[in-house]
Every structure is written in C-alpha cells, then in structure tokens.
C-alpha cells in the first residue's frame, strides 16, 4: 500500500511563518503537522509514501527522512496546476493495479485507517460542514456517491470531502486525470482531483464515503491554534518546573527552559525555547524562541523569534524580534 501526500503549497494564509518554513513543518501540539499525519499512516501499516513537494521542499524531505524509517519518493511540482496535476506526476512510481491512499498534507485527522484500506470499493472521507462552498462535496444516494462537485457556488450537499481518498486501483484515476489534462478541463483555473473522481463515477466506478469526525484544519493562524488546543487534550502531562505554574493541557519540549512563568492552558513550547518571567496561554512558541517579561495569549511565535514587553496578541514569524513598551 502506497500513500500519496501532496505538500507543495505555499501556505500564504500562515505568513509570516511560512516565509521561512513549509506549512507542514509548523509545530502543533509538540510535532509538525506532517508528523501527526505520518504517525497515522504508519499505524495503519503504510510502509511507502510518495510526497509531492514544491515550496521549501528540501526542508520537508530532510525532516521526513530524519524522523521516519520508511521508503520515501519525493516528486517535485514546480508549477501549481492543481491537485489532480500533482497526483498525475506520481504516475511513474505507481503500478497500474496498486491501491492508493491519498491524504492532503495540510490537515490533521483522527480516524482509524485500517477499515478504510479494507473497503471493498473506493471510498472518500467526508464530514458535514456549515458552509460547503469552501470544499469539494459529495452527493450520496443509498450509501454510494452519485456526484462530486468542487466548491459549489450553490450548495448541493453539506458532505465536504476532507482530503482522505482510498482508490482500489491506480489506473482508472490516472486515466481520468489524463483526460482532464488532454482536454484542458479545469475548475477555478486548476486541474481538480474532484473532477477526475467525478469522471470515474460517471464511468461506473463505485465510490462510498466514510465519516471523519476528527478533522482539524491547520490553514490559518486561528485554526492552527484551535487544532493545537484539541490535540493537546491527549498529551502527556508536562513535568513540573520549580517556581512555575503549569496549567494543563500543554506540551513543553524537554530542551525548553522555563523560569518564573505561568504556562497554559492550551500551549505548545518548542525545542530550546526560553520562557522567563512570562505568562503564556493558548499559544504556540517555536524552536529557540525567547519570551520574557510579557503576558501573551492566542499567539504564534516563530522559531528563533524574541518577544518581551507588555500583554498583547502576537503573530510573528521566524527570526523576528519585537519589544512592546
């Protein structure tokens, strides 16, 4: 079983942090976004991953090879032509009869993948949403998908496709994508995976859906922080720090230094971060960041950034330094 993980996006909504880091390497509840995804894949028995990289892809490649001992193939997508195009670029590395598990690299999910990869038909992960206009959606009938629509202007279903796709065979998918490319069929200016899957459905390929209740967006600062909060509820309690108050749930890296501080709740402190004479809650503090003589809340502080001063809400990128009077 191979997994395809597209992570070529720029992550513009998470700037300034993504100026120097790919989005999938941003820390959430003690590990990068892609680390949470890889742990789920490995628990399901996936032993080979094709990772589609682009922006700052060398950093993603280096991190994955350092932390996971499975077979990786890295495919570079220099031009962003859509998710279907990204998947199509993986064709040389996949056998025709191979089953595929495709998982988008910008969301964290909480679902048992074993029943998914044992499904008798191809199946897509879905979740009910309030505003389906932001997503590809599935229209179902009798437990099967009747139609897929990419980001409908007029909602036709509230079952959003959340970025988990299991295909029983690779060939029908690549045939459908090639049809899109050869005929220049685009939606909103890109070759959409949803459109390729719809072609498969129209050609008689059966598709089912499976519910994904734990689906956590990491695409914006506010959703990154809310996902951090949710995942920390499952974290191991932090060790005590003399002279400090730790309000669980928190994650504090072993190499971090905490002095005369109140940490938490819902806070992640990265490796080699230094927190002194400060109150930090509902926040993510990056690697080697310094926070001193300040109270911060609902904030993201990038790697190697430094902040000190009076209480404010902060969202600063890597290597920044702010003094608040």
């Amino acid at each position: 079983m191979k997994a395809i993980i597209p992570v070529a996006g720029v992550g513009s909504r998470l700037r300034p942090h993504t100026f120097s880091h790919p989005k999938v390497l941003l820390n959430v509840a003690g590990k990068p976004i892609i680390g949470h995804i890889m742990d789920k894949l490995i628990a399901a028995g996936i032993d080979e991953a094709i990772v589609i990289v682009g922006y700052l892809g060398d950093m993603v490649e280096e991190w994955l090879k350092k932390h996971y001992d499975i077979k990786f193939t890295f495919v570079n997508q220099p031009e962003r032509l859509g998710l279907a195009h990204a998947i199509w670029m993986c064709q040389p590395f996949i056998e025709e009869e191979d089953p595929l598990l495709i998982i988008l690299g910008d969301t964290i999910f909480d679902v048992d993948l074993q029943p998914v990869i044992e499904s008798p038909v191809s199946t897509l992960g879905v979740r009910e949403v309030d505003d389906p206009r932001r997503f590809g959606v599935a229209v179902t009938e009798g437990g099967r998908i009747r139609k897929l629509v990419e980001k409908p202007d007029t909602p036709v279903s509230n079952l959003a496709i959340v970025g988990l796709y299991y295909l029983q065979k690779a060939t029908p998918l690549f045939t459908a994508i090639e049809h899109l490319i050869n005929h220049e069929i685009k939606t909103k200016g890109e070759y959409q995976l949803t459109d390729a899957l719809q072609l498969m459905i129209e050609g008689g390929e059966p598709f089912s859906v499976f519910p994904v209740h734990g689906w956590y967006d990491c695409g914006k600062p506010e959703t990154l922080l809310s996902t951090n909060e949710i995942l920390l509820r499952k974290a191991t309690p932090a060790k005590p720090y003399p002279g400090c108050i730790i309000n669980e749930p928190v994650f504090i890296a072993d190499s971090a230094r905490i002095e005369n501080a109140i940490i938490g709740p819902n806070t992640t402190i990265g490796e080699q971060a230094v927190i002194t004479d400060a109150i930090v809650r509902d926040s993510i503090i990056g690697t080697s960041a310094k926070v001193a003589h300040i109270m911060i809340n609902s904030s993201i502080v990038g790697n190697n950034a430094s902040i000190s001063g009076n209480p404010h809400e902060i969202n600063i990128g890597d290597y920044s330094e702010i003094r608040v009077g």
Side-chain angles (χ1 to χ4, degrees):
M1 174 70 66
K2 293 183 177 70
I4 297 178
I5 313 171
V7 297
V10 174
S12 57
R13 292 183 298 171
L14 278 165
R15 290 170 177 163
H17 306 284
T18 50
F19 280 130
S20 54
H21 260 64
K23 177 169 64 173
V24 295
L25 292 187
L26 296 181
N27 193 341
V28 182
K31 69 178 67 174
I33 295 167
I34 199 168
H36 292 278
I37 294 170
M38 289 301 305
D39 289 349
K40 282 288 186 181
L41 292 176
I42 289 172
I46 302 296
D47 59 2
E48 184 173 350
I50 301 171
V51 185
I52 305 165
V53 296
Y55 177 72
L56 300 177
D58 55 336
M59 296 177 67
V60 177
E61 181 173 348
E62 180 182 355
W63 191 89
L64 285 173
K65 287 181 174 178
K66 179 179 178 181
H67 290 88
Y68 294 95
D69 186 22
I70 68 169
K71 181 181 178 181
F72 286 108
T73 300
F74 294 92
V75 176
N76 185 47
Q77 186 192 23
E79 189 176 5
R80 312 294 183 265
L81 298 177
L83 181 56
H85 176 263
I87 302 300
W88 183 71
M89 295 183 66
C90 301
Q91 189 171 4
F93 308 101
I94 296 170
E95 299 295 331
E96 291 184 356
E97 298 299 309
D98 279 352
L100 292 178
L101 181 67
I102 301 170
I103 175 168
L104 303 191
D106 58 357
T107 56
I108 296 172
F109 63 94
D110 187 8
V111 65
D112 183 3
L113 288 176
Q114 199 61 47
V116 174
I117 61 180
E118 294 173 356
S119 172
V121 298
S122 297
T123 186
L124 309 182
V126 297
R127 179 179 176 178
E128 292 186 0
V129 295
D130 294 329
D131 185 7
R133 294 173 299 178
R134 295 176 48 219
F135 307 93
V137 298
V139 180
T140 61
E141 184 178 306
R144 290 287 189 264
I145 297 176
R146 182 170 60 85
K147 186 178 183 181
L148 299 173
V149 183
E150 178 64 27
K151 298 178 181 176
D153 294 326
T154 302
V156 294
S157 168
N158 68 340
L159 289 180
I161 304 167
V162 299
L164 277 168
Y165 312 80
Y166 170 70
L167 289 304
Q168 280 210 314
K169 292 182 180 179
T171 300
L173 174 62
F174 288 119
T175 300
I177 295 175
E178 194 162 338
H179 178 85
L180 295 181
I181 293 172
N182 289 342
H183 293 82
E184 286 287 318
I185 300 172
K186 298 180 180 180
T187 299
K188 301 187 185 299
E190 295 184 336
Y191 298 111
Q192 301 288 355
L193 181 58
T194 304
D195 293 338
L197 298 173
Q198 176 60 27
L199 285 177
M200 293 173 64
I201 292 169
E202 292 171 1
E205 187 81 16
F207 275 86
S208 66
V209 297
F210 64 94
V212 180
H213 300 297
W215 173 56
Y216 311 119
D217 184 16
C218 299
K220 300 182 294 184
E222 57 268 30
T223 59
L224 191 72
L225 288 171
S226 64
T227 295
N228 182 63
E229 176 181 348
I230 292 167
L231 296 181
L232 282 174
R233 295 171 190 167
K234 303 177 183 180
T236 302
K239 67 181 182 182
Y241 288 81
C244 299
I245 298 173
I246 308 298
N247 296 317
E248 299 287 352
V250 301
F251 172 86
I252 302 175
D254 290 340
S255 60
R257 180 160 59 90
I258 314 295
E259 297 177 355
N260 193 31
I262 300 174
I263 306 297
N266 310 319
T267 297
T268 291
I269 308 295
E271 296 287 347
Q272 298 178 335
V274 178
I275 315 296
T276 55
D277 300 301
I279 300 173
V280 183
R281 61 193 308 270
D282 298 301
S283 298
I284 298 173
I285 309 301
T287 299
S288 299
K290 295 180 175 60
V291 179
H293 309 292
I294 194 171
M295 180 180 75
I296 60 174
N297 180 53
S298 302
S299 302
I300 304 172
V301 178
N303 299 338
N304 298 286
S306 175
I307 179 170
S308 61
N310 295 320
H312 283 78
E313 182 174 314
I314 302 296
N315 183 8
I316 63 173
D318 299 353
Y319 297 96
S320 304
E321 182 169 350
I322 292 182
R323 291 184 176 274
V324 183

